[in-house]
Amino acid sequence: MNPLPKQIISIIGFIFILLMIFYGSILPYQKSKIFINGMSLLQSGRIRNVNDFEKTILDIFKAKSPIGQEEIIRHFGSYFISLISQNKNKDFTNYLMDLIRPYYEQILNRGKGLSFNQDLYIFGNLNLVAYDQTKESKYLEEAEKYFMISYNLGSKRPQALYGLFDVCRLKNDMECMKKIGGEILSYWPNETEIKKFLE
């Protein structure tokens, strides 16, 4: 048998293994290392200005890897909820939302994923917190949009129901509160907080 086809198959197999190692191990490892170092820097108190803060976060977001981006964006969604809640600054809130929105929307626009509902819930909550700090209606509309997507995927999900109830409450929409609150109580009749609101 001609050895040339065997050699070609061997070379292709070797290249394939190298690519698998690069994309499956090296890139995810590098991204996780950038993430860990970046979070250590953010939590150390050594960042003194907005430019360094933004560069640290964008370096993490932009690090190339076929896996890990969704988890990192979800982590920063929760992290930004905490930052916005603590700082009570409208400009800072708008800045953080503008920073994370394009990366979160890339994930949510796919419309699927193992933790897709968790992504919807965190981004919905992030928008609720942003609305609470700024009173800008766009954030309340965004929160409602993402909670409603989650609700349509499964109307018994507590994250979607409680998120929508909060939206109804902030809009002062009594009919909406009765509807969503009634659904919550039909699944969890001992929910005292919802009962108080409805009374």
Side-chain angles (χ1 to χ4, degrees):
M1 182 182 172
N2 189 342
L4 186 59
K6 282 186 175 180
Q7 291 172 348
I8 291 170
I9 290 168
S10 297
I11 291 167
I12 290 170
F14 180 68
I15 292 170
F16 177 75
I17 290 168
L18 285 179
L19 288 172
M20 288 293 290
I21 291 170
F22 181 70
Y23 285 102
S25 298
I26 294 172
L27 287 182
Y29 172 74
Q30 288 176 339
K31 188 173 183 73
S32 65
K33 201 170 167 186
I34 292 167
F35 169 67
I36 291 166
N37 292 339
M39 285 308 300
S40 297
L41 188 61
L42 288 168
Q43 293 169 351
S44 69
R46 290 179 310 200
I47 290 182
R48 299 297 180 194
N49 58 61
V50 174
N51 289 338
D52 288 347
F53 176 83
E54 185 171 321
K55 182 182 182 310
T56 302
I57 290 173
L58 291 182
D59 283 349
I60 297 169
F61 287 178
K62 291 179 178 179
K64 299 292 184 189
S65 172
I67 55 175
Q69 181 74 348
E70 184 177 343
E71 292 80 5
I72 282 172
I73 298 301
R74 192 182 313 123
H75 171 86
F76 272 96
S78 298
Y79 178 56
F80 281 12
I81 287 172
S82 174
L83 288 180
I84 290 170
S85 299
Q86 292 167 12
N87 282 278
K88 315 274 186 199
N89 182 297
K90 181 177 177 178
D91 291 336
F92 185 62
T93 296
N94 286 327
Y95 163 74
L96 289 178
M97 294 301 290
D98 289 343
L99 188 62
I100 199 170
R101 183 180 293 105
Y103 296 95
Y104 230 122
E105 286 179 346
Q106 282 175 10
I107 291 166
L108 296 177
N109 287 341
R110 290 195 312 235
K112 59 183 180 180
L114 290 176
S115 300
F116 183 60
N117 260 294
Q118 187 69 8
D119 293 328
L120 290 167
Y121 175 66
I122 290 174
F123 198 52
N125 262 342
L126 181 58
N127 275 282
L128 275 185
V129 172
Y131 173 76
D132 189 49
Q133 299 295 3
T134 65
K135 304 304 181 211
E136 292 184 19
S137 60
K138 63 181 180 180
Y139 294 125
L140 195 56
E141 289 165 10
E142 284 284 287
E144 184 174 20
K145 171 186 170 183
Y146 291 114
F147 288 137
M148 188 55 76
I149 293 170
S150 180
Y151 178 82
N152 288 333
L153 289 171
S155 61
K156 291 184 181 179
R157 286 190 171 93
Q159 297 96 327
L161 286 166
Y162 281 89
L164 284 172
F165 187 82
D166 281 337
V167 170
C168 298
R169 180 177 55 79
L170 290 167
K171 288 168 74 175
N172 204 25
D173 185 338
M174 293 307 297
E175 287 304 312
C176 177
M177 284 174 69
K178 286 177 185 175
K179 177 183 179 296
I180 301 298
E183 287 188 50
I184 292 171
L185 291 174
S186 72
Y187 302 130
W188 303 282
N190 296 323
E191 172 53 81
T192 56
E193 288 300 312
I194 299 297
K195 281 181 181 176
K196 284 179 187 175
F197 271 112
L198 294 181
E199 286 168 2

